[in-house]
Amino acid sequence: VRQTRWLTAREQRAWRAYLHMQSRLAAELNRRLQSSSGLSTADYDVLVRLSEANEGRLRSFELGRDLQWEQSRLSHQLTRMQRRGLVTRQECTEDRRGAFVVLTDSGRTAIEQAAPAHVAAVRTLVLNGLTADQITELERFSTTVLTRLDATVTDAGCPLP
Amino acid sequence: VRQTRWLTAREQRAWRAYLHMQSRLAAELNRRLQSSSGLSTADYDVLVRLSEANEGRLRSFELGRDLQWEQSRLSHQLTRMQRRGLVTRQECTEDRRGAFVVLTDSGRTAIEQAAPAHVAAVRTLVLNGLTADQITELERFSTTVLTRLDATVTDAGCPLP
DNA sequence: AAAGATTGAGTTCTCAATCTTC
DNA sequence: GAAGATTGAGAACTCAATCTTT
């Protein structure tokens, strides 16, 4: 057990600013989406993937992989969305363990109506405040962290530099 | 109503990478904290503020302001933490509407035991992957977005550039 | 009436257990 | 046994309503 290396003042400022920003941004985007369209961020994310998929349908596990959600979270979410008529489930004949999730007409309408305001919010709150370089930097930063997540999650025994 | 300006390919890549990273990072940090110390991120955040406060106590509204949480979220959280013995509530004699939240010995022990592993995780997953410049950039980016959140939340009628 | 705080109901997320088909 | 998926219980968050003190 070695001595903890605490965060420096600069590291701490950056990390706390990030945490703070992240929670407020997520809450605000969710709040706006909810009040302008009745959808949550989770609903929106599911609908986006489905609307981009061929014939508006996807296997459950594909959706889960794309969103990187836990199986049970996805299953509960889909049950609720199905109850509201946004998606339906379809049996998969090739692999009878599995199921398709299908966008309904009502689901497609919902995402089409919600998207413009949501994109505008993302621009207003984030993108319009950044230079092109900063947008590139945001992608790089995110990718770096994702790589580290993959590395440490799949192989917990190999400490990264 | 004007035409929606959709995200460009670069903007979309950056934004989706951010969303993806953000949700996975938060989930992973929470998972590690939970399994190594039995604390959630929310517990940890509350305990950090209290442990930094004078005499380990803070008025509820101060804690809420610092964390930028909704009142009811804080109240429910404190009720649960009190039930587990991490904090207690104390009446405030100067302003009898209010209450103090006080760190218990057990709460202080919990945060002291949890902190080293949590800091290590933040380093491993994030900070160690960034250059000093990128850390500065992360702070700047976060501050920019926070400013925009404040601007649009308090004054919804004034569109930012 | 406003500020500080709590409560209850409804929704969502996580964890572990389960079920079916491969 | 593993993969795909669901279920139920418990914890956490949000919204609106409420209560007390200023």
Side-chain angles (χ1 to χ4, degrees), chain A residues 10 24 68 124 136 148, chain B residues 10 24 68 124 136 148:
Chain A
R10 296 179 65 250
R24 286 200 54 200
Q68 305 248 104
T124 302
T136 302
R148 300 179 81 80
Chain B
R10 296 179 66 250
R24 286 200 54 201
Q68 303 249 106
T124 302
T136 303
R148 299 179 82 80

Side-chain angles (χ1 to χ4, degrees), chain A residues 15-51:
Chain A
W15 179 242
R16 290 206 184 181
Y18 166 77
L19 286 179
H20 202 166
M21 179 279 290
Q22 158 329 72
S23 72
R24 286 200 54 200
L25 178 59
E28 180 64 17
L29 286 174
N30 195 54
R31 210 186 51 68
R32 291 186 184 212
L33 201 50
Q34 191 78 55
S35 83
S36 73
S37 70
L39 299 175
S40 67
T41 305
D43 298 331
Y44 187 88
D45 290 344
V46 169
L47 294 176
V48 165
R49 309 297 154 148
L50 288 177
S51 70

Side-chain angles (χ1 to χ4, degrees), chain B residues 78-96:
Chain B
L78 292 176
T79 300
R80 277 175 255 128
M81 291 179 75
Q82 183 167 29
R83 199 185 304 140
R84 293 192 285 147
L86 298 169
V87 302
T88 51
R89 283 160 158 128
Q90 223 175 49
E91 282 188 12
C92 175
T93 46
E94 300 103 63
D95 182 345
R96 303 232 308 282

Side-chain angles (χ1 to χ4, degrees), chain A residues 54-139:
Chain A
N54 195 18
E55 302 179 54
R57 66 177 211 175
L58 236 36
R59 289 289 302 269
S60 264
F61 76 92
E62 295 179 297
L63 195 49
R65 181 165 36 63
D66 286 3
L67 295 167
Q68 305 248 104
W69 283 7
E70 304 206 347
Q71 285 187 330
S72 84
R73 176 182 178 184
L74 181 61
S75 183
H76 285 301
Q77 178 73 33
L78 292 175
T79 300
R80 279 174 252 131
M81 291 178 75
Q82 183 166 29
R83 198 184 306 140
R84 292 192 287 148
L86 297 169
V87 302
T88 51
R89 283 162 158 127
Q90 224 175 49
E91 281 188 14
C92 175
T93 46
E94 299 104 62
D95 182 345
R96 301 233 308 283
R97 293 171 301 183
F100 283 107
V101 185
V102 193
L103 191 57
T104 61
D105 290 344
S106 161
R108 194 175 289 278
T109 304
I111 186 71
E112 285 170 356
Q113 298 201 331
H118 184 66
V119 171
V122 172
R123 284 208 177 282
T124 302
L125 295 176
V126 184
L127 297 174
N128 288 354
L130 305 179
T131 64
D133 280 354
Q134 283 180 307
I135 291 177
T136 302
E137 185 54 45
L138 174 61
E139 184 185 355

